[in-house]
Amino acid sequence: MTKRLFVQSICLAAMTVSAISQTGNKKDSLLKGLVTAKEDTAKIRLLLNIEKLYSSKNYDSFYYYLDQANTLAKKLKTEKFDFFINAGFSEYFYYQNDYKNAVKHALHSRDVAEKENDLKLLAKSYNNLAAVYNHFGNKKEAINCILKSLDLSERTKDSISFPVRHLTASATYYNLEQFDKAIIHARKAVEYGKHFANSFAIAMGLNNLAASYSQLNILDSAISIGKKQLDFAKKEADADNINNALINLCYDNFKNGNIREVAFYSNELKKISVTQQDKKNTPELNVSYALNFMAQENYINAKIQLDSAIQIANKDGNADALRNAYQTYSIFYYLQGKIKAGETYTFKYDSLVRATNLKELNFYTEELETKYDVEKKVSQIKLQQVELKQKSILNYLLAGAAFCAILIGLLGYKSYKNKQKLQQAKINELETEKQLTATEAVLKGEEQERTRLAKDLHDGLGGMLSGIKYSFQNMKENLILTPDNARAFERSIDMLDSSIKEMRRVAHNMMPETLVKYGLDTALKEFCNEIDRSGIICASYQSLGMDNALFEQTVAVTIYRVVQELVNNVVKHAAAKNVLVQAQLTEQGKLLTITVEDDGKGFDTDELTQAKGIGWNNIQNRVEFLNGNLDIRSTVNNGTSVLIEISI
């Protein structure tokens, strides 16, 4: 069972300009001082101190005072606070889950520290970058940054920063699943935290220690350290860490078979959850309660808690909590001997893990693309500088009239060649547009014909068949039939009913009304539900960011046909028990990702090159029409996964 690592904004505690007491009286005093403050650098420092009071608590106020400080700094044309302003913006976007802006401002603060040659600030900036990369799953960059931060802190003998540095390192190694190293740095975080009275480092260091021992299945140590974390959090009146420790103690005691302890810590959670304002850990609370019920073999109430956890996690888009709920649900069924149901949730858990890994890969790819764009711009600037230098040299050489004539000739020849290239490029572009237009016309014509046929079947033939049925029923009332003839008459009416249902099914398949009325997300969900209700195969559908998505009808119909063809192929050829359809639209609404996975017999993908059927060709043609990318992964006896990426 996965144990949560409750790592909060580790680095972001290091971003304050000066030490500030976050009491209500201090806040009131600072706000009163702001009213009479002059428009100078002292006011900038005051605004930065105020915004830290709202950090991770009131994001709107946090951003408001930070933006005021930034505006005033620009007005006064001072760069004195650039490091802290950019570090603050990085922290804000960190909490808003805005990867691009969080990284951009963290990198800017690093550049400021390098420019000022301030090694202590540089150590802080690398620590902040490590936390940002950790948060968004870029593990490679995270470990590089935290190692640089530790090295700089040791070189500058900035020992007061050691607790936070080692805390970030422990979280980074934990995410890399190097739990032995995570334990080493978590112990150092606790040790230095005690030396410098850093309660945050002590509490989170104990948390990371317990989590790492749990992952190594050294449960007695995990439970013992979890109790220390709980006692320390209660002493410090740290509500978040009390909650974290209790949840982890429920998990570890359940894994260790300590039924009474599970019940005890579960009841403790219920007591504090009544007064808890922050509901972000509600799914984890539900899972903890479910573990208690499972330990008592009270599976009815356990199921209620797990269903609630999944519902809330889906609503909040909390992938970590959803993974944990799926994994706990599989254990829930295995404990009851329901292997098939348990395997279904194991499959959902594995699919969500793969989706999360894909998201992390997208973050990393996005950063590489950003670096490439920056390097490209630098190269362009260098190229422009070279061109300017060449032009300067040519100006001197143009003094000779003879050379001018030769140069003009050369330039004319180059111009002629460039025009030829431009004309050829335009011809190629027109040919490509012509092919796309032809493909679009074919697909639109096909869907229009399907729509017309579906309407004719439903309204024309359907009406006629219903009229015939009505006439037969009226005739029955006026006829005297023998028992045999009466039974034959009833069979005829039943056959007519079956024909009407089959005709409506065919019409629906040709152009689903759900797609036209309610959109792609609802249509895909209904299609998977119909497959699942048929009993032929267990079909599931998951979507992220698709709730309010709007697509052109041609695009929506084409995507629907692709998914329909892929699922039908699974039913016909895969001999699978489960099929999962996932649709994810990025927050910017620019990339649609479709995944269709099954646990069937799989096949050698090289066979697709010799495939004679039109089904796979139809799928490829439709994806190419949408300018999408298609990737299929399959091996014999290991199922099949098809990934489609379409820029919207």
Side-chain angles (χ1 to χ4, degrees):
M1 181 182 297
T2 302
K3 178 172 179 179
R4 285 196 58 188
L5 182 66
F6 294 93
V7 179
Q8 299 167 352
S9 53
I10 293 171
C11 69
L12 308 173
M15 293 181 177
T16 51
V17 180
S18 60
I20 306 166
S21 173
Q22 296 189 15
T23 62
N25 292 335
K26 186 68 175 181
K27 183 187 295 185
D28 292 341
S29 175
L30 291 173
L31 290 173
K32 287 180 181 178
L34 185 62
V35 176
T36 57
K38 297 180 179 179
E39 295 283 304
D40 55 16
T41 57
K43 185 175 182 180
I44 298 175
R45 185 177 287 104
L46 179 60
L47 287 165
L48 289 173
N49 286 340
I50 293 173
E51 59 94 4
K52 290 309 301 178
L53 298 178
Y54 294 100
S55 173
S56 77
K57 300 180 185 301
N58 185 329
Y59 301 130
D60 290 338
S61 297
F62 175 32
Y63 183 85
Y64 173 79
Y65 290 109
L66 180 61
D67 187 59
Q68 290 287 311
N70 185 43
T71 302
L72 183 55
K74 289 181 178 179
K75 181 179 179 180
L76 298 176
K77 297 181 180 180
T78 177
E79 298 178 353
K80 183 178 180 180
F81 302 95
D82 276 5
F83 177 88
F84 302 102
I85 289 172
N86 279 282
F89 278 125
S90 179
E91 181 179 0
Y92 171 78
F93 289 115
Y94 172 102
Y95 289 124
Q96 299 300 313
N97 288 318
D98 186 337
Y99 175 72
K100 282 187 176 180
N101 282 312
V103 170
K104 182 183 77 173
H105 288 286
L107 289 172
H108 197 123
S109 64
R110 181 204 61 185
D111 294 341
V112 171
E114 286 181 340
K115 181 180 178 182
E116 295 178 1
N117 197 28
D118 189 328
L119 297 185
K120 288 186 178 181
L121 284 184
L122 190 58
K124 287 183 180 182
S125 66
Y126 276 119
N127 185 84
N128 297 344
L129 272 169
V132 172
Y133 286 130
N134 252 328
H135 183 64
F136 293 101
N138 192 338
K139 300 171 185 176
K140 179 181 177 182
E141 289 296 331
I143 194 63
N144 287 337
C145 289
I146 191 55
L147 290 177
K148 289 179 181 178
S149 178
L150 282 169
D151 178 64
L152 286 167
S153 295
E154 289 172 359
R155 284 165 54 190
T156 57
K157 298 181 180 180
D158 185 18
S159 55
I160 197 170
S161 71
F162 286 176
V164 173
R165 303 291 181 269
H166 287 288
L167 192 58
T168 308
S170 72
T172 306
Y173 280 114
Y174 183 95
N175 288 334
L176 288 168
E177 298 184 357
Q178 297 182 25
F179 303 115
D180 290 333
K181 292 183 179 179
I183 288 172
I184 292 172
H185 288 283
R187 287 191 181 281
K188 289 184 178 180
V190 174
E191 177 185 345
Y192 286 117
K194 290 178 179 178
H195 183 75
F196 294 102
N198 189 329
S199 60
F200 177 81
I202 296 171
M204 295 310 301
L206 291 171
N207 182 86
N208 296 0
L209 267 177
S212 299
Y213 278 119
S214 180
Q215 289 295 336
L216 293 171
N217 212 34
I218 307 175
L219 297 177
D220 290 338
S221 295
I223 293 170
S224 174
I225 295 171
K227 290 179 180 178
K228 291 180 181 179
Q229 179 192 2
L230 179 60
D231 292 339
F232 182 82
K234 287 181 177 179
K235 179 182 176 182
E236 295 291 322
D238 184 348
D240 285 339
N241 270 298
I242 292 173
N243 187 74
N244 299 345
L246 288 172
I247 291 175
N248 285 341
L249 284 168
C250 284
Y251 286 11
D252 289 333
N253 280 290
F254 181 85
K255 289 166 66 177
N256 212 26
N258 303 330
I259 297 175
R260 290 183 178 178
E261 282 76 8
V262 175
F264 173 77
Y265 292 117
S266 176
N267 289 331
E268 289 291 302
L269 272 172
K270 287 182 180 178
K271 292 177 184 177
I272 68 170
S273 65
V274 174
T275 57
Q276 192 175 33
Q277 298 297 320
D278 190 355
K279 303 299 181 183
K280 63 184 178 183
N281 289 330
T282 298
E284 300 293 341
L285 295 177
N286 291 126
V287 173
S288 299
Y289 302 150
L291 291 174
N292 181 32
F293 287 123
M294 287 160 63
Q296 300 174 29
E297 298 184 359
N298 184 347
Y299 296 114
I300 294 176
N301 285 325
K303 187 176 188 303
I304 292 172
Q305 294 296 333
L306 288 173
D307 287 340
S308 179
I310 290 174
Q311 181 182 3
I312 297 171
N314 273 319
K315 180 180 178 182
D316 296 339
N318 190 337
D320 290 336
L322 190 59
R323 281 199 305 272
N324 200 38
Y326 280 162
Q327 193 174 35
T328 307
Y329 228 139
S330 66
I331 296 171
F332 167 85
Y333 280 117
Y334 289 141
L335 289 174
Q336 300 176 70
K338 298 178 180 180
I339 305 302
K340 183 177 180 181
E343 286 295 318
T344 297
Y345 277 93
T346 298
F347 180 75
K348 290 183 177 181
Y349 168 81
D350 291 337
S351 299
L352 194 55
V353 169
R354 286 193 292 273
T356 303
N357 290 338
L358 177 62
K359 183 178 180 181
E360 293 177 356
L361 180 62
N362 287 339
F363 278 128
Y364 183 64
T365 304
E366 193 171 89
E367 182 168 326
L368 288 178
E369 291 174 349
T370 302
K371 288 182 178 179
Y372 170 77
D373 289 339
V374 172
E375 291 173 358
K376 185 178 179 181
K377 289 179 180 178
V378 171
S379 298
Q380 288 175 342
I381 292 172
K382 290 182 178 179
L383 181 61
Q384 289 175 352
Q385 290 174 343
V386 171
E387 290 176 349
L388 287 172
K389 186 176 181 180
Q390 290 175 342
K391 288 180 180 179
S392 177
I393 295 172
L394 288 174
N395 286 335
Y396 290 105
L397 296 176
L398 285 175
F403 185 79
C404 288
I406 295 172
L407 182 61
I408 291 171
L410 288 173
L411 291 174
Y413 178 77
K414 287 183 178 180
S415 176
Y416 171 75
K417 286 294 184 181
N418 287 335
K419 286 181 179 179
Q420 279 189 326
K421 290 180 180 179
L422 288 173
Q423 289 175 348
Q424 186 60 45
K426 288 181 179 179
I427 292 171
N428 293 338
E429 183 179 354
L430 289 172
E431 288 178 353
T432 302
E433 290 178 356
K434 181 179 178 182
Q435 291 175 355
L436 289 174
T437 302
T439 303
E440 182 178 3
V442 170
L443 290 175
K444 285 186 176 179
E446 180 181 309
E447 295 304 329
Q448 289 172 357
E449 186 63 12
R450 283 175 176 265
T451 303
R452 186 187 66 79
L453 288 174
K455 185 175 181 181
D456 289 345
L457 283 172
H458 189 274
D459 297 340
L461 183 57
M464 291 173 64
L465 291 174
S466 298
I468 293 170
K469 177 184 174 183
Y470 180 78
S471 298
F472 275 1
Q473 288 174 338
N474 286 339
M475 288 171 62
K476 181 182 177 184
E477 302 296 328
N478 300 319
L479 292 176
I480 299 174
L481 302 172
T482 64
D484 290 339
N485 289 338
R487 285 193 293 274
F489 196 94
E490 289 294 337
R491 284 197 299 273
S492 298
I493 292 179
D494 290 340
M495 291 172 65
L496 188 58
D497 278 335
S498 299
S499 299
I500 293 172
K501 290 179 181 177
E502 180 64 13
M503 178 276 300
R504 288 175 177 167
R505 184 189 68 79
V506 172
H508 176 76
N509 285 338
M510 295 188 75
M511 180 51 67
E513 293 181 359
T514 308
L515 180 63
V516 178
K517 291 182 178 179
Y518 304 108
L520 180 61
D521 188 40
T522 303
L524 290 176
K525 182 177 181 181
E526 181 59 26
F527 171 69
C528 291
N529 288 340
E530 286 181 3
I531 296 294
D532 189 69
R533 286 194 294 268
S534 70
I536 299 173
I537 191 172
C538 179
S540 347
Y541 175 72
Q542 296 175 353
S543 65
L544 290 172
M546 294 283 290
D547 295 341
N548 301 315
L550 297 176
F551 301 90
E552 292 182 7
Q553 185 168 342
T554 302
V555 174
V557 171
T558 303
I559 294 170
Y560 182 89
R561 294 299 181 204
V562 170
V563 174
Q564 190 179 43
E565 187 71 25
L566 288 171
V567 174
N568 288 336
N569 283 344
V570 173
V571 174
K572 291 177 183 177
H573 308 297
K577 295 180 180 178
N578 299 282
V579 61
L580 173 67
V581 178
Q582 292 178 319
Q584 180 181 357
L585 188 64
T586 59
E587 293 180 358
Q588 295 81 8
K590 294 182 179 180
L591 180 66
L592 174 64
T593 303
I594 302 289
T595 306
V596 179
E597 297 183 345
D598 67 76
D599 58 353
K601 61 185 181 181
F603 65 98
D604 186 356
T605 54
D606 291 337
E607 294 175 1
L608 289 176
T609 57
Q610 288 88 31
K612 296 181 179 179
I614 63 173
W616 182 247
N617 288 333
N618 282 341
I619 292 171
Q620 288 181 307
N621 290 336
R622 292 179 188 277
V623 173
E624 288 175 0
F625 164 68
L626 296 175
N627 293 322
N629 296 318
L630 176 64
D631 182 39
I632 182 167
R633 303 288 175 88
S634 181
T635 55
V636 178
N637 298 324
N638 284 320
T640 301
S641 175
V642 179
L643 173 67
I644 299 171
E645 292 180 332
I646 300 168
S647 297
I648 303 300

